[in-house]
Amino acid sequence: MDLFSISWTALRAAVADLSDEDFARPSGCAGWLVRDLVCHLVIDAQDVLITLATPSRREPTRDVVTYWEVSGTPPTGEDPLDALTVRLAAAYQEPHLLKFHLDDVGSAAGRAAALADPAGRVGTRDEVLTVADYLSVYVLEWTLHHLDLIAHLPDPEQPPAATLSRSRELLERIAGRAFPASFSDADALLIGTGRREPTGAERAALGDAAARFPLYLG
């Protein structure tokens, strides 16, 4: 629960620090500018609010590891929902409006998460998770998107060390393989999710595990 708050607070602070010019820069998400990614974060915050307000009495069907749909095919940015996000982002016109909406909805999502019972159960995507597992999913989501946000920014503020470490651990559990100890947490996440290609030395360090990566999470 604490890591959810830490990761979300850091990501929202990074958005608040963006200049108007930064919104037109590319992000680390294929086909998306920074403004498109920020719009996606608004939608994510809405999803958190909706899910936390959707309690379930059913037994959990997924957890923080099995929640993810894993693909070996990279996203193209041409998915209809991705395209809708781009159109919505363009409709804001002024970056400060997008910042305001994220701060407004994002603050509410953060408060809702802090008030939620970790042992409670919630429904999302026709599955049931404990609140603790659901919010842990977003630690990985927020951390990856923090890296996406700063991918092409000068002198960016990195995600918090604790959320990088936790996200690496989660990705290793999803993959069923550990990254070499020589990899930083950020590099493990970037290489492991296909956000950058490994160098020759990094590929050699991965050894047989190189065939397991990248993983594209949806």
Side-chain angles (χ1 to χ4, degrees), residues 5 32 47 62 94 103 108 125 129 158 163-164 181 185 192 209:
S5 178
W32 279 3
D47 181 73
R62 300 284 182 105
E94 298 293 334
D103 182 64
R125 304 202 308 191
L129 294 87
Q158 294 291 319
T163 64
L164 284 168
D185 293 336

Side-chain angles (χ1 to χ4, degrees), residues 95-196:
H96 73 89
L97 296 175
L98 196 47
K99 280 186 177 183
F100 173 80
H101 197 184
L102 179 63
D103 182 64
D104 192 35
V105 181
S107 296
R111 290 192 296 272
L115 293 169
D117 176 6
R121 301 168 190 168
V122 290
T124 183
R125 304 202 308 191
D126 296 324
E127 303 288 352
V128 176
L129 294 87
T130 66
V131 168
D133 276 341
Y134 175 71
L135 296 181
S136 292
V137 162
Y138 269 98
V139 173
L140 178 54
E141 177 90 355
W142 299 147
T143 302
L144 289 173
H145 281 329
H146 195 142
L147 293 171
D148 291 330
L149 184 79
I150 66 175
H152 300 281
L153 298 182
D155 302 317
E157 185 73 24
Q158 294 291 319
T163 64
L164 284 168
S165 176
R166 173 60 170 159
S167 296
R168 175 186 183 146
E169 175 197 341
L170 289 174
L171 186 59
E172 289 176 337
R173 289 172 61 191
I174 293 166
R177 291 289 186 91
F179 292 100
S182 58
F183 283 27
S184 71
D185 293 336
D187 285 335
L189 292 170
L190 293 171
I191 293 168
T193 60
R195 283 165 164 82
R196 81 163 175 83

Side-chain angles (χ1 to χ4, degrees), residues 2-15 38 40-46 48 102-103 105-111 113 138-139 141-143 145-146 160 163:
D2 289 343
L3 288 180
F4 174 91
S5 178
I6 291 169
S7 59
W8 189 218
T9 299
L11 181 50
R12 287 165 45 220
V15 172
V38 175
H40 172 74
L41 296 178
V42 172
I43 296 170
D44 269 357
Q46 292 171 340
V48 170
L102 179 63
D103 182 64
V105 181
S107 296
R111 290 192 296 272
Y138 269 98
V139 173
E141 177 90 355
W142 299 147
T143 302
H145 281 329
H146 195 142
T163 64

